[in-house]
Amino acid sequence: NTNSSTDQNNKLAMLKMSATYKPNTDLQLDYDVLFRASSQEENANVLSQFDGSTNDIQEIKENKPYSINQNVNGYYTLNEKNIFAGQIQHLYQNEDPFYNAVTDLVPFSGILPIDESQNRYSINQDKNVKTNKLDAKLDHYYVLNNTSNINFTLGTTYSNQKFNSNIFQLLDNGNRVDFSQTPDDDGGGVMSLINDVDYTFSDVFLGVHYKVKSGKFTFTPGATLHNYNVSSDQLGLSSSDNEVNILPDLNVIYNLKNSESIRFNYDISSQYTDVNDYAESFVFNNYNRLFRGNRNLENSLNQSYRLTYFSYNMFNYTNISGSVNYTKRVNGFKNQTQIFDINQVSSPFNIDSNFPDETFSANGRFSKRIKKIQFRASGSLALSTSNNRINNEIRESQSFTQNYSTSVRTSFRDWPNFEVGYRVNINEYDNGGLEQTFFTQRPFANFDARFLKDFTFNAEWDFYDYTNDSKTIENRYSFVNANLFYQQKDSNWEFQLQANNVLDTAFINNNSFSDQFNTTTQYFVLPRIMMVVVKYDL
């Protein structure tokens, strides 16, 4: 059980500049540059209780990342049969997260060479990740006739990342002790606690797609040849891997009518990770989680199937849509986790292809308008199966989530409008034999109206009935928000009276699922807030 109180302070600055050059109808060049900088600070007080022990933890996280993202897009029509499109994108990003945890209990004794003679234990981590990434792609569309064309794609992705980290302890007298080595439990010797990694990933690819329309069908089969190269240099040791893959894909469209269609998509993709999973020395994720990378990681393969249906009838205002999806990941990235009480030490690995991750999902949506009243209904479900290694044992986990919603809404022009509805969420988890089911029932209502010519009022109400199958959790709470606007026609001034959490609800509940744990969290929320807002448009 943990009780945490967190104070966050985030500042963000963005600057975007764009330019377009279009000398004629056959040529267009677009350029964008986006600069982002932020300052993120977080202070947390955590009280952890486990097996009769209490640990009072103070955590500090600081980060001042910035990035520059540039894009160049070009379009050129050579003639009726040859069309070209190109794109170049460059990203430079710098991240420097700092982490500090002051604890009552010794963290990760036996892994970190901590001076245990201190009253409390102040563990710190400096980390820096610099990323340079370049993406470039050129498409050539060759028009064969009125119903078919061939698309050739030539491109590359190049990414270089530099990763540095170190862990140190601040003693009670203010002195600093840098940690350099720890015993290696994989076979004796010692392992460095300092990361200094230079990681490079590149992908050069050539794709061919043929698009043809036949009657009501449109077929677009294709394949892409990839040459992947991954290399890392850390602590004087180098490793590299090269792989060539041909990845097929298929898109089929069946147009029953102009506003009714069925689509099928299939593709295989290859996924690689980044430098964070290759850096082999330990890094802190938080006070009870350590992580170390694996330079021997290989890529995973993802197969995806998607069938969608869409229909819109303008005469009776009926809209129907739905989709069925299936994905399968082979040789996926997993975390091998060693659990010591509430402490975790994780490292990524490629799970055997005999233990794939599979997800099946489906969703549907229906809406119909009768005069000024609109009826809506929707539903979705997802069944996910995954495998992971916990304490050297492969464990299968399953989750089955269901969401259903229905509502009625009016759309009067001169009268107040309202919406009433009902939502149901069901989450079923099976984590290595530990089964739990959570239910959330949510009736809701919205109201908005214009009156006295220049006034607008809107309000929304949500009720939550949150329980689990064992009845150990039973919470009911409501949220009401309301806004009153005043703005004269063509006026630059707007005045607003805003009320949030009118009922002064104290907390909400949430449940989450991972390969290792099911977690139920209670969040304390901001109390009732009344605000007067004055807005002026320049």
Side-chain angles (χ1 to χ4, degrees), residues 142-257:
Y142 181 70
V143 180
L144 299 174
N145 48 53
N146 291 334
T147 59
S148 62
N149 65 70
I150 298 179
N151 170 217
F152 300 95
T153 303
L154 177 64
T156 184
T157 295
Y158 175 85
S159 175
N160 177 258
Q161 294 180 293
K162 300 185 185 301
F163 182 104
N164 295 278
S165 73
N166 64 284
I167 302 174
F168 60 93
Q169 180 182 5
L170 290 180
L171 305 182
D172 293 344
N173 60 11
N175 291 338
R176 168 173 168 164
V177 179
D178 289 283
F179 300 155
S180 59
Q181 293 179 336
T182 185
D184 187 355
D185 57 5
D186 289 336
V190 295
M191 187 184 72
S192 174
L193 288 173
I194 300 173
N195 276 303
D196 183 6
V197 187
D198 191 332
Y199 170 82
T200 301
F201 168 81
S202 66
D203 173 22
V204 179
F205 56 90
L206 175 65
V208 179
H209 291 81
Y210 174 67
K211 184 175 183 178
V212 58
K213 185 176 181 180
S214 177
K216 295 184 177 182
F217 284 93
T218 301
F219 299 92
T220 310
T224 304
L225 174 66
H226 291 265
N227 182 15
Y228 299 103
N229 187 272
V230 177
S231 63
S232 66
D233 187 354
Q234 52 181 313
L235 303 174
L237 297 176
S238 299
S239 62
S240 62
D241 183 38
N242 181 267
E243 183 166 344
V244 177
N245 275 336
I246 298 179
L247 304 178
D249 59 89
L250 172 66
N251 175 263
V252 180
I253 302 175
Y254 177 48
N255 288 310
L256 291 84
K257 304 174 184 177

Side-chain angles (χ1 to χ4, degrees), residues 297-504:
L297 285 177
E298 300 177 353
N299 64 295
S300 66
L301 286 177
N302 301 326
Q303 299 181 39
S304 175
Y305 304 82
R306 181 179 179 87
L307 182 66
T308 62
Y309 171 79
F310 173 79
S311 173
Y312 178 67
N313 191 317
M314 296 183 62
F315 297 100
N316 59 17
Y317 300 103
T318 301
N319 191 339
I320 303 174
S321 63
S323 67
V324 179
N325 308 275
Y326 173 76
T327 60
K328 181 178 180 180
R329 175 180 293 182
V330 179
N331 203 35
F333 306 118
K334 291 294 182 176
N335 280 334
Q336 174 178 281
T337 302
Q338 298 290 328
I339 298 177
F340 309 96
D341 294 332
I342 62 169
N343 295 322
Q344 302 173 50
V345 180
S346 300
S347 180
F349 72 103
N350 292 106
I351 197 165
D352 190 281
S353 58
N354 293 323
F355 302 95
D357 288 352
E358 297 177 287
T359 299
F360 170 82
S361 63
N363 64 79
R365 185 179 298 271
F366 169 83
S367 68
K368 184 177 180 61
R369 193 173 76 184
I370 301 176
K371 294 184 178 180
K372 297 295 184 180
I373 301 178
Q374 186 171 40
F375 301 87
R376 295 177 181 175
S378 64
S380 66
L381 56 89
L383 176 63
S384 176
T385 302
S386 60
N387 294 274
N388 215 324
R389 185 181 295 166
I390 308 296
N391 290 343
N392 297 317
E393 177 185 351
I394 296 294
R395 178 190 296 178
E396 181 182 275
S397 303
Q398 284 191 342
S399 69
F400 182 41
T401 62
Q402 304 172 68
N403 293 279
Y404 306 100
S405 174
T406 183
S407 66
V408 178
R409 180 177 178 82
T410 63
S411 56
F412 300 114
R413 181 175 180 180
D414 301 319
W415 293 88
N417 287 291
F418 66 89
E419 180 183 18
V420 293
Y422 196 85
R423 299 188 182 104
V424 176
N425 172 253
I426 305 172
N427 294 330
E428 300 179 43
Y429 304 138
D430 182 355
N431 214 327
L434 177 62
E435 299 183 14
Q436 285 184 300
T437 303
F438 298 89
F439 305 90
T440 304
Q441 301 183 66
R442 291 181 55 192
F444 64 93
N446 302 315
F447 175 83
D448 60 85
R450 292 183 62 89
F451 61 98
L452 297 179
K453 187 178 178 181
D454 299 320
F455 286 89
T456 302
F457 175 79
N458 62 56
E460 55 186 30
W461 168 75
D462 279 278
F463 179 82
Y464 294 78
D465 184 352
Y466 179 84
T467 60
N468 65 346
D469 54 345
S470 59
K471 302 301 181 182
T472 58
I473 300 175
E474 291 186 274
N475 292 128
R476 294 175 178 85
Y477 48 89
S478 295
F479 279 97
V480 174
N481 300 318
N483 296 278
L484 178 63
F485 297 88
Y486 173 76
Q487 184 178 27
Q488 293 182 341
K489 185 179 180 180
D490 300 326
S491 173
N492 293 336
W493 290 95
E494 179 183 276
F495 302 91
Q496 179 184 358
L497 180 62
Q498 185 180 95
N500 293 322
N501 193 8
V502 175
L503 300 180
D504 205 21

Side-chain angles (χ1 to χ4, degrees), residues 21-29 74-80 82-85:
Y21 175 67
K22 191 175 182 180
N24 52 59
T25 57
D26 296 330
L27 176 64
Q28 178 174 330
L29 295 175
Y75 312 92
Y76 177 61
T77 302
L78 179 63
N79 50 47
E80 292 183 352
N82 294 277
I83 302 171
F84 296 87

Side-chain angles (χ1 to χ4, degrees), residues 7-26:
D7 179 38
Q8 295 179 330
N9 189 346
N10 297 322
K11 301 175 183 177
L12 173 65
M14 293 189 297
L15 174 65
K16 182 177 181 180
M17 294 181 290
S18 303
T20 299
Y21 175 67
K22 191 175 182 180
N24 52 59
T25 57
D26 296 330

